[in-house]
């Protein structure tokens, strides 16, 4: 099978780098360097060859040197002062410690605030399914939100605390996307708009795809307008504190009678929001740079 049939061709260097990690001694070296950083709270801390060797279980210095050499360049940097973790090395250690290779536990269903944009019932619940975090409507069984659920996010947290942590995590990712940054690998992203239509409404999501790692993230396109100062009055009237109110609680507001979203163009992106704020119609426009401006006003946000 050639590369055109098998999909993206993998660089042999990638396979070699991953193969390098398949050894207890090499992982031990990475963890030793990481533990020193944690103890001293100093990123990029170095250890000499002797310091690393004395902390290992390898009897032969030549054998230890061989394993260390295999890590240098990709996962460990060699400097005049000694050895330290590279970004890749740090990422590997954090991945192992977070239990990414382990199954995520489920948690009991939690009732959450918010209105379903599809049936308008206040019947939202949070639970997990197939190792994913889910916000769904228990009245019409619509899924409003689904996200990856790593084991580390459940560790030491009650069901309510798990839900709260996702509220924070989603805003963090939303801010990254708004700035054109992938929330996973920090690469540049491409933006598109997806639309889910029902008999009564159309629900639009901002779809961002990372050019590097190809992670795809969806957010309600109205999320962009919530940062604009013109919407501050509307937020205050409804007791909404931005970044402290989970995004799923805002879905009902975005699809209410006082908020209209129109997708004028998908490429280039052009979105128009018409929002009733205390009887005044506020019209906001978004372009393909995700810049939000009030129509007739040069002020952007």
């Amino acid at each position: 099978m050639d590369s055109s049939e098998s999909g993206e061709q993998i660089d042999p260097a990638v396979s070699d780098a991953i193969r390098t990690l398949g050894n207890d001694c090499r992982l031990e070296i990475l963890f030793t360097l990481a533990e020193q950083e944690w103890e001293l709270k100093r990123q990029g801390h170095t250890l000499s060859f002797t310091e690393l060797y004395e902390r290992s279980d390898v009897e032969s210095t030549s054998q230890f040197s061989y394993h260390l050499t295999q890590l240098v360049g990709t996962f460990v940097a060699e400097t005049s002062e000694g050895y330290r973790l590279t970004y890749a090395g740090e990422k590997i250690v954090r991945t192992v410690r977070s239990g990414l290779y382990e199954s995520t536990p489920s948690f009991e269903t939690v009732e959450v605030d918010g209105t379903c944009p599809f049936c308008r019932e206040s019947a939202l619940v949070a639970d997990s399914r197939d190792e994913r975090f889910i916000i769904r409507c228990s009245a019409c069984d619509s899924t409003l939100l689904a996200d990856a659920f790593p084991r580390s996010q459940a560790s030491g947290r009650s069901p309510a605390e798990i839900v709260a942590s996702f509220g924070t995590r989603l805003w963090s990712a939303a801010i990254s996307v708004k700035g054109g940054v992938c929330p996973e690998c920090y690469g540049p992203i491409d933006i598109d708009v997806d639309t889910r239509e029902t008999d009564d409404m159309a629900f639009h999501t901002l779809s961002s795809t990372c050019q590097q790692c190809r992670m795809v993230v969806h957010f309600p396109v109205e999320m962009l307008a919530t940062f604009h100062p013109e919407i501050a009055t509307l937020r205050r009237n409804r007791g909404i504190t931005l970044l402290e109110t989970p995004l799923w609680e805002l879905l009902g507001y975005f699809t209410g009678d006082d908020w209209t979203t129109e997708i004028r163009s998908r490429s280039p992106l052009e979105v128009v929001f018409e929002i009733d704020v205390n009887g005044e119609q506020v019209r906001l426009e978004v372009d393909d740079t995700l810049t939000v401006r009030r129509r007739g006003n040069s002020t952007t946000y």
Side-chain angles (χ1 to χ4, degrees):
M1 180 180 294
D2 60 30
S3 60
S4 63
E5 294 175 327
S6 61
E8 183 178 358
Q9 187 171 12
I10 302 299
D11 186 335
V14 175
S15 300
D16 291 341
I18 294 174
R19 193 178 298 113
T20 298
L21 297 171
N23 179 278
D24 290 346
C25 178
R26 296 172 196 173
L27 287 176
E28 184 183 270
I29 291 172
L30 298 183
F31 271 77
T32 298
L33 289 169
E35 285 167 2
Q36 282 298 109
E37 290 188 353
W38 300 329
E39 289 178 8
L40 299 175
K41 302 187 186 306
R42 186 185 306 160
Q43 194 172 26
H45 182 70
T46 61
L47 287 176
S48 68
F49 178 90
T50 301
E51 289 172 321
L52 275 172
Y53 174 66
E54 290 177 347
R55 287 168 169 79
S56 77
D57 294 328
V58 180
E59 295 182 0
S60 166
T61 56
S62 60
Q63 185 181 7
F64 181 81
S65 177
Y66 169 76
H67 289 303
L68 178 59
T69 300
Q70 298 305 302
L71 294 170
V72 169
T74 304
F75 302 108
V76 172
E78 183 177 8
T79 72
S80 58
E81 298 177 349
Y83 300 87
R84 63 170 177 80
L85 290 174
T86 63
Y87 173 77
E90 292 177 352
K91 195 76 171 178
I92 289 297
V93 173
R94 289 197 294 269
T95 296
V96 174
R97 287 191 62 85
S98 68
L100 197 63
Y101 57 91
E102 301 177 55
S103 298
T104 300
S106 59
F107 64 92
E108 296 178 3
T109 299
V110 177
E111 294 183 359
V112 298
D113 294 332
T115 302
C116 175
F118 302 108
C119 72
R120 311 306 302 175
E121 293 290 331
S122 298
L124 303 189
V125 296
D127 58 21
S128 59
R129 182 187 307 157
D130 299 327
E131 297 196 0
R132 294 182 68 77
F133 175 82
I134 304 290
I135 296 290
R136 60 180 176 83
C137 176
S138 60
C140 68
D141 204 32
S142 295
T143 297
L144 279 60
L145 179 152
D147 200 2
F149 184 15
R151 183 179 183 84
S152 55
Q153 197 157 355
S155 179
R157 290 189 171 111
S158 67
E161 290 170 335
I162 291 172
V163 174
S165 74
F166 268 95
T168 300
R169 171 181 160 185
L170 288 172
W171 271 121
S172 175
I175 292 171
S176 291
V177 168
K178 181 178 179 294
V181 178
C182 171
E184 178 69 18
C185 78
Y186 317 121
I189 60 176
D190 295 321
I191 295 294
D192 197 0
V193 173
D194 286 344
T195 300
R196 176 179 173 183
E197 296 187 15
T198 67
D199 294 337
D200 302 319
M201 61 167 287
F203 186 64
H204 307 287
T205 60
L206 193 69
S207 173
S208 69
T209 304
C210 178
Q211 297 174 12
Q212 294 293 120
C213 72
R214 299 189 181 179
M215 179 180 184
V216 179
V217 181
H218 292 267
F219 286 104
V221 70
E222 292 85 359
M223 174 269 294
L224 297 170
T226 62
F227 292 94
H228 198 279
E230 295 284 356
I231 308 305
T233 300
L234 182 64
R235 295 202 309 265
R236 284 196 299 270
N237 290 347
R238 293 180 170 177
I240 298 172
T241 302
L242 208 59
L243 306 187
E244 294 182 10
T245 303
L247 269 169
W248 58 78
E249 289 188 30
L250 302 181
L251 297 179
Y253 299 135
F254 295 156
T255 54
D257 294 336
D258 55 1
W259 191 308
T260 302
T261 300
E262 179 185 0
I263 308 297
R264 289 281 185 85
S265 170
R266 296 177 185 271
S267 182
L269 184 65
E270 183 183 355
V271 185
V272 176
F273 304 115
E274 290 190 357
I275 306 149
D276 186 315
V277 180
N278 291 345
E280 178 188 359
Q281 285 296 116
V282 174
R283 186 182 178 93
L284 301 178
E285 299 178 339
V286 180
D287 61 22
D288 58 355
T289 67
L290 303 188
T291 299
V292 183
R293 39 171 75 84
R294 181 166 182 172
R295 188 174 187 183
N297 190 326
S298 60
T299 303
T300 62
Y301 207 71

